[in-house]
Amino acid sequence: QVQLVESGGGLVQAGGSLRLSCAASGRIFSSYAIGWFRQAAGKEREFVSAISWNGGGTLYADSVKGRFTISRDNLKNTVYLQMNSLNSEDTAVYYCAATTVLAGTLYTGAYDYWGQGTQVTVSS
């Protein structure tokens, strides 16, 4: 089993930046691809980004391409999501999740383990 803990959320002005972290413990971290998802109030959870088990491959939702960057440090068992040029539509609870689909995937159902989420609020 893998335990995931997100951190780094908060309140930021439009145009600002935040870096989210997803720290993992439990089974071998490099056995999993990691994804970031978000859920805004009253909306369904949506895919944001994913990174393969070794960091060699990444996926992004069209809405965040060019603004968000995902990375991982397997020695620290941590995945990061650098978020730049934030706008009000990025306001949501952000979750990281682990999947054995080693290349990563945008399909929510493929993820077996989830963190508790961290709130990101962008003020305009």
Side-chain angles (χ1 to χ4, degrees):
Q1 196 168 7
V2 176
Q3 293 80 42
L4 302 171
V5 178
E6 303 93 338
S7 62
L11 175 64
V12 63
Q13 288 188 334
S17 299
L18 282 175
R19 188 177 80 157
L20 305 183
S21 297
C22 173
S25 61
R27 299 190 66 181
I28 300 173
F29 182 61
S30 58
S31 298
Y32 297 89
I34 302 295
W36 284 98
F37 293 78
R38 65 188 181 186
Q39 188 166 17
K43 295 186 177 181
E44 293 188 355
R45 191 169 298 188
E46 65 174 1
F47 171 78
V48 175
S49 182
I51 189 164
S52 64
W53 69 279
N54 63 353
T58 56
L59 299 170
Y60 294 95
D62 287 343
S63 59
V64 307
K65 276 181 183 176
R67 300 189 299 123
F68 291 11
T69 303
I70 191 170
S71 61
R72 69 187 293 162
D73 184 339
N74 283 351
L75 293 179
K76 295 183 178 179
N77 287 359
T78 303
V79 169
Y80 305 97
L81 185 68
Q82 177 67 42
M83 306 187 297
N84 298 329
S85 301
L86 287 162
N87 58 62
S88 57
E89 294 185 350
D90 296 316
T91 294
V93 178
Y94 283 71
Y95 300 88
C96 66
T99 176
T100 54
V101 178
L102 296 181
T105 175
L106 52 79
Y107 296 108
T108 307
Y111 289 81
D112 300 306
Y113 304 103
W114 292 80
Q116 82 290 348
T118 186
Q119 176 71 47
V120 171
T121 303
V122 184
S123 63
S124 56

